[in-house]
């Protein structure tokens, strides 16, 4: 299997977080974060081990937390406000980051394009519970050549109340992968288009 593409990172805030189940989401507030450049997931495991009779008797590694570094071509003021809880003034278009802002938790989806035995496969990725972390900002002056910088957003990845922290599914159709991702974030036929 070779992976050569990734697209359509979308975030929807949680509506409810029921016990023993996945969250539900407010699809009406879904945002497309930008055009996906890279998605790098880092997993932190909690481990424990016990030795007996001069050797390793048991060892356990379990998901503790995760971090997703998402690089996109852009992050608009509207997307920044939705991800970080910042205030966007509709009249002045000023975006205010405040020390008291709380980034909302929500679900995040994107999909990857894989090549398996000469056939394209589209893998939907669903992270049921994440929240964005406000990161650093850099700027560089124009020089003799142009270098584009991607907008980076880091997300904390949590396990949902049922223990799930990531769900994936493979499709032979790109449209089916998109539909699955939207459904995971709460899209229903009566809820509007898949945008």
């Amino acid at each position: 299997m070779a992976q050569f593409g990734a697209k359509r990172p979308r975030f929807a805030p949680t509506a409810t977080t029921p016990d023993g189940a996945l969250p539900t989401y407010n699809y009406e507030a879904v945002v497309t974060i930008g055009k996906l450049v890279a998605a790098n997931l880092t997993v932190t495991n909690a481990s424990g081990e016990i030795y007996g009779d001069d050797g390793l008797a048991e060892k356990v590694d379990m998901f503790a937390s995760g971090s997703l570094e998402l690089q996109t071509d852009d992050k608009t003021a509207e997307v920044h406000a939705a991800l970080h809880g910042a205030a966007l003034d509709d009249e002045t278009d000023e975006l205010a980051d405040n020390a008291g802002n709380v980034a909302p938790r929500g679900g995040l989806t994107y999909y990857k394009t894989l090549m398996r035995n000469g056939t394209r496969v589209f893998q939907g990725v669903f992270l049921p519970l994440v929240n964005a972390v406000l990161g650093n900002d850099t700027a560089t002056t124009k020089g003799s050549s142009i270098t584009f910088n991607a907008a980076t957003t880091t997300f904390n990845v949590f396990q949902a109340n049922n223990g799930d922290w990531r769900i994936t599914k493979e499709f032979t159709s790109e449209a089916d992968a998109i539909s699955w991702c939207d459904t995971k974030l709460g899209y229903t036929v009566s809820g509007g288009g898949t945008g």
Side-chain angles (χ1 to χ4, degrees), residues 3-143:
Q3 190 260 316
F4 66 93
K7 292 183 181 179
R8 206 166 179 267
R10 304 189 92 199
F11 172 87
T14 55
T16 65
T17 53
D19 289 339
L22 290 173
T24 62
Y25 306 97
N26 179 2
Y27 189 80
E28 298 303 317
V30 72
V31 292
T32 301
I33 299 168
K35 292 181 180 177
L36 188 55
V37 175
N40 301 304
L41 178 65
T42 303
V43 175
T44 302
N45 289 316
S47 9
E49 56 189 28
I50 187 168
Y51 286 81
D53 288 341
D54 296 331
L56 181 63
E58 297 289 343
K59 180 170 176 141
V60 175
D61 291 294
M62 300 175 67
F63 176 82
S65 66
S67 176
L68 177 71
E69 181 184 271
L70 204 65
Q71 295 178 15
T72 54
D73 70 328
D74 191 14
K75 184 163 69 172
T76 65
E78 291 83 3
V79 169
H80 182 92
L83 295 180
H84 299 285
L88 179 60
D89 189 306
D90 290 334
E91 292 181 18
T92 65
D93 291 331
E94 292 180 338
L95 178 67
D97 287 307
N98 186 285
N101 290 347
V102 176
R105 288 189 177 191
L108 188 137
T109 61
Y110 59 95
Y111 69 94
K112 303 191 283 187
T113 306
L114 315 173
M115 184 67 73
R116 185 175 291 129
N117 299 321
T119 303
R120 284 186 186 199
V121 177
F122 302 93
Q123 182 185 58
V125 178
F126 169 48
L127 302 173
L129 199 57
V130 301
N131 76 329
V133 178
L134 197 58
N136 298 327
D137 184 28
T138 60
T140 55
T141 190
K142 182 178 78 170

